[in-house]
Amino acid sequence: MAKTLITCDCEGSQSIDSAALANTLGHAVAPPCSALCTRQIDRAAAALTAGDAIFCCTQESRVFTELAEELGVAPPPLLDLRDRAGWSDDPASKLPKMSALASEALLNAPLEKSLDVTSEGLCLILGTGEAAVQAAHQLKDHLAVTLLTDPSQPLPDTRAFDVIGGTLRKAKGALGHFEVTIDALRQVVPGGRGELTYTAPQDGAISHCDVILDMRGQQQPLFPAHEKREGYLRADPAHPPAVAAAVLAASHLVGTFEQPLYVRTEPLLCAHSRAGQTACTNCLDLCPTGAITPDGDHVSVDPMICAGCGACSAACPSGAISYDAPAVDFTMLRVQTLARAYLDAGGTAPRLLVHDDTHGAEMIRLSARHGRGLPADVIPMALPALAAFGHAEALAALAAGFAGVSLLLGPKSDRDAIETQIALARAIGGDARVQLIDTPDPDAMSDTLYDGTAPTPDGT
């Protein structure tokens, strides 16, 4: 079905040739507004009522979503042409780049696969001292709270939440499905006069909870890559803002949530083991959360623990594990679409900038608003997990017509896995057209891209 792009030059701060863009896309492109989100909101309303419109503005997504709700229609798809293309100090034409970005937006993305995770609000707080007690008081009206504390410390004089003493031996699981093992478990004796007392200790007690709030201070986290473990929150009791943020986050972890199924496995293709002899361990060595474990001759992935970093997919030599959120073939289609649309619109030697959809997107936004923006020949492509873009994807981008590929590292990116894939792409391709950009400074990112000289597609 034909789509209509609703464009806006944002008070004249960018130039959009709607007629030329419509010609390259084969879809209708409305003449640019100047203030679609304010003075010309009536045009936005008309486009929403007509349907099949893509709004070329992501900054004011809240305004357009609220307008759609008022009109009783679905919120529009959004496309960022301003920060990624229009706002740039590069004097070259932005038409090829805008054509590429719009063509990508017109693709039909596959539906993401997920499973439902239910949290009934059973929260275990780990810690001693006043901060842990206060956190329990704050959460008791939202969650079913149990405080696990040091039995040598005075018991809180309250029955507003459960208190147990003991030592946590181990924990496993994720949001809605944690299992903890506690040694020297002591429960409160609720009767009697005077201070509350504990029962006799019991080792090896097993319990289940939905959420864990870890306030043990300097002790080791319970899980590897703990910041990626859904339902596990960690806060330094000596840092009140961190405690407040963790308490707020915990209070919202009740109900039914969608857990994306990040990877797809094909056990018959797995080269992990045969006849009891271990062979390939690439994914086991890379997985930061411990979601991948040996399972006979192949490996298995726990979808509740998998955080979707994508490193396993990029490193798997046999295709037994492939990224599925989105699927690898859709990522390849996006790459091919971007290159073809850019070249068909008259551009030459495009460069691909792959970034995550949080840190990387913000870097591009800040550079566009306050700095030089991106060069006209640099086409950004956002992915939920940067490590999912491996050597195969990089080489496919070069084969599709990109003169170079840059990966913008984020603070949560798995650097080691990404560097391995870049080295492999360079070794196979025989050149250095694949590079890593590692800086938290938007201006430095832009300078790196402007200073880079794009080679021709044949590598010269």
Side-chain angles (χ1 to χ4, degrees), residues 204-292:
I206 296 177
S207 185
H208 299 84
C209 61
D210 300 309
V211 179
I212 296 178
L213 174 54
D214 189 346
M215 298 180 61
R216 298 174 301 152
Q218 300 304 313
Q219 294 191 41
Q220 288 293 320
L222 297 179
F223 306 103
H226 63 89
E227 68 281 355
K228 298 181 179 182
R229 184 69 58 111
E230 294 292 337
Y232 178 69
L233 305 169
R234 183 172 168 83
D236 184 348
H239 191 248
V243 173
V247 168
L248 179 62
S251 69
H252 289 79
L253 294 179
V254 58
T256 300
F257 304 87
E258 286 190 353
Q259 169 67 20
L261 298 177
Y262 293 108
V263 299
R264 181 177 67 247
T265 60
E266 296 289 347
L268 292 178
L269 299 178
C270 184
H272 169 61
S273 174
R274 289 293 183 273
Q277 299 297 312
T278 300
C280 178
T281 62
N282 285 2
C283 61
L284 294 167
D285 297 337
L286 284 173
C287 183
T289 63
I292 306 176

Side-chain angles (χ1 to χ4, degrees), residues 62-411:
R62 178 178 57 85
V63 172
F64 300 133
T65 299
E66 291 176 352
L67 178 61
E69 291 176 354
E70 292 177 8
L71 297 173
V73 298
L78 302 177
L79 166 63
D80 175 21
L81 290 181
R82 187 194 68 184
D83 294 351
R84 299 192 294 167
W87 279 358
S88 169
D89 287 357
D90 191 338
S93 171
K94 311 302 187 301
L95 176 63
K97 185 175 184 178
M98 289 187 177
S99 299
L101 295 174
S103 295
E104 180 199 20
L106 290 166
L107 294 174
N108 292 319
L111 294 176
E112 292 187 357
K113 302 172 185 177
S114 64
L115 55 85
D116 288 342
V117 177
T118 300
S119 169
E120 296 181 352
L122 302 177
C123 177
L124 178 65
I125 299 178
L126 311 176
T128 59
E130 187 61 24
V133 174
Q134 287 302 315
H137 275 293
Q138 294 170 20
L139 285 171
K140 65 180 176 59
D141 294 331
H142 306 281
L143 306 174
V145 174
T146 298
L147 173 63
L148 173 59
T149 188
D150 186 342
S152 66
Q153 299 295 315
L155 267 167
D157 190 12
T158 179
R159 294 296 292 157
F161 51 85
D162 290 331
V163 179
I164 56 177
T167 301
L168 185 66
R169 184 201 303 173
K170 64 179 180 179
K172 62 180 181 179
L175 176 65
H177 298 88
F178 285 110
E179 180 181 293
V180 296
T181 302
I182 303 170
D183 287 334
L185 172 66
R186 298 184 178 190
Q187 296 176 288
V188 172
V189 178
R193 188 178 182 185
E195 294 184 356
L196 296 172
T197 59
Y198 284 119
T199 61
Q202 175 188 352
D203 286 338
I206 296 177
S207 185
H208 299 84
C209 61
D210 300 309
V211 179
I212 296 178
L213 174 54
D214 189 346
M215 298 180 61
R216 298 174 301 152
Q218 300 304 313
Q219 294 191 41
Q220 288 293 320
L222 297 179
F223 306 103
H226 63 89
E227 68 281 355
K228 298 181 179 182
R229 184 69 58 111
E230 294 292 337
Y232 178 69
L233 305 169
R234 183 172 168 83
D236 184 348
H239 191 248
V243 173
V247 168
L248 179 62
S251 69
H252 289 79
L253 294 179
V254 58
T256 300
F257 304 87
E258 286 190 353
Q259 169 67 20
L261 298 177
Y262 293 108
V263 299
R264 181 177 67 247
T265 60
E266 296 289 347
L268 292 178
L269 299 178
C270 184
H272 169 61
S273 174
R274 289 293 183 273
Q277 299 297 312
T278 300
C280 178
T281 62
N282 285 2
C283 61
L284 294 167
D285 297 337
L286 284 173
C287 183
T289 63
I292 306 176
T293 55
D295 187 10
D297 286 345
H298 53 84
V299 299
S300 62
V301 180
D302 188 336
M304 300 301 302
I305 299 177
C306 175
C309 73
C312 59
S313 173
C316 181
S318 66
I321 298 182
S322 57
Y323 205 72
D324 207 33
V328 172
D329 56 355
F330 184 67
T331 298
M332 296 291 195
L333 178 61
R334 291 175 63 192
V335 169
Q336 294 166 358
T337 299
L338 288 169
R340 182 174 61 251
Y342 183 92
L343 296 171
D344 288 348
T348 58
R351 292 179 287 163
L352 182 66
L353 176 63
V354 186
H355 61 89
D356 63 34
D357 52 14
T358 52
H359 171 80
E362 181 66 2
M363 288 271 284
I364 292 172
R365 186 191 72 81
L366 291 173
S367 174
R369 178 170 287 277
H370 302 291
R372 303 168 71 186
L374 298 179
D377 65 340
V378 172
I379 305 176
M381 186 179 81
L383 288 174
L386 191 63
F389 196 90
H391 70 280
E393 289 79 6
L395 294 173
L398 297 176
F402 282 103
V405 178
S406 298
L407 278 73
L408 177 60
L409 201 68

Side-chain angles (χ1 to χ4, degrees), residues 31-48:
C33 303
S34 288
L36 182 65
C37 58
T38 52
R39 298 190 311 273
Q40 296 168 311
I41 195 70
D42 57 320
R43 297 193 188 183
L48 285 171

